[in-house]
């Protein structure tokens, strides 16, 4: 991997599995290449189809080859996991960009917990 800057835009979510007891999810997304450095979107209240349109920046180092997206429902105490997914960065490095809806698979990938629209661009140093 070539060092550089990865710009990640979390555009929106669609048909997120409802984890809330009352109303709909208070959804946010945590994004990371390594667990010790996470970034997150703001929380969108009461929506299973949230629109974030938030841009996050990551400095990419040698060995960074995967980016993780963990989608949560914020609760008064703690949080519930809506879904998780990861993308290999090779496509972004090769093409310089990425613009796709990413499914949030349920256990064993047999069904979906919704999907998130992610755009990424990579600029080498």
């Amino acid at each position: 991997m070539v060092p550089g800057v990865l710009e990640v835009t979390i555009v929106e979510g669609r048909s997120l599995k409802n984890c809330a007891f009352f109303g709909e999810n208070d959804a946010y997304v945590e994004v990371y290449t390594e667990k010790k450095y996470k970034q997150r979107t703001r929380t969108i209240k009461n929506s299973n189809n949230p629109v974030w349109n938030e841009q996050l920046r990551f400095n990419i180092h040698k060995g960074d080859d995967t980016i993780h997206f963990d989608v949560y429902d914020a609760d008064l105490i703690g949080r519930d996991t809506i879904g998780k997914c990861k993308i290999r960065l090779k496509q972004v490095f090769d093409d310089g960009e990425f613009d796709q809806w990413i499914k949030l698979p349920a256990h064993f990938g047999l069904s979906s917990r919704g999907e998130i629209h992610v755009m990424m661009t990579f600029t080498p140093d």
Side-chain angles (χ1 to χ4, degrees), residues 73-85:
D73 171 36
D75 290 328
L76 289 175
I77 301 172
R79 64 188 183 186
D80 293 320
T81 302
I82 296 171
K84 298 181 177 191
C85 59

Side-chain angles (χ1 to χ4, degrees), residues 62-79:
K62 185 176 180 177
D64 291 339
D65 63 353
T66 304
I67 190 162
H68 301 261
F69 302 91
D70 297 350
V71 185
Y72 295 103
D73 171 36
D75 290 328
L76 289 175
I77 301 172
R79 64 188 183 186

Side-chain angles (χ1 to χ4, degrees), residues 15-121:
S15 303
L16 299 182
K17 179 167 176 51
N18 196 7
C19 294
F21 287 114
F22 301 103
E24 296 185 344
N25 289 313
D26 297 332
Y28 67 93
V29 184
E30 279 188 353
V31 184
Y32 58 94
T33 55
E34 48 185 289
K35 287 199 184 263
K36 64 185 176 188
Y37 180 67
K38 294 183 178 183
Q39 296 186 56
R40 63 167 278 182
T41 65
R42 68 191 185 285
T43 300
I44 302 297
K45 300 266 188 203
N46 203 35
S47 177
N48 292 334
N49 298 290
V51 176
W52 292 284
N53 277 325
E54 284 193 47
Q55 191 173 69
L56 310 170
R57 293 172 60 98
F58 292 87
N59 291 319
I60 298 299
H61 307 285
K62 185 176 180 177
D64 291 339
D65 63 353
T66 304
I67 190 162
H68 301 261
F69 302 91
D70 297 350
V71 185
Y72 295 103
D73 171 36
D75 290 328
L76 289 175
I77 301 172
R79 64 188 183 186
D80 293 320
T81 302
I82 296 171
K84 298 181 177 191
C85 59
K86 61 186 175 183
I87 298 294
R88 306 230 7 120
L89 290 172
K90 183 177 181 353
Q91 178 183 349
V92 186
F93 296 150
D94 290 348
D95 299 344
E97 60 185 20
F98 178 96
D99 184 350
Q100 291 184 22
W101 283 92
I102 305 168
K103 289 195 181 309
L104 302 170
H107 297 291
F108 309 113
L110 299 176
S111 62
S112 175
R113 294 177 161 254
E115 52 191 351
I116 56 174
H117 183 193
V118 175
M119 295 169 40
M120 294 185 273
T121 57

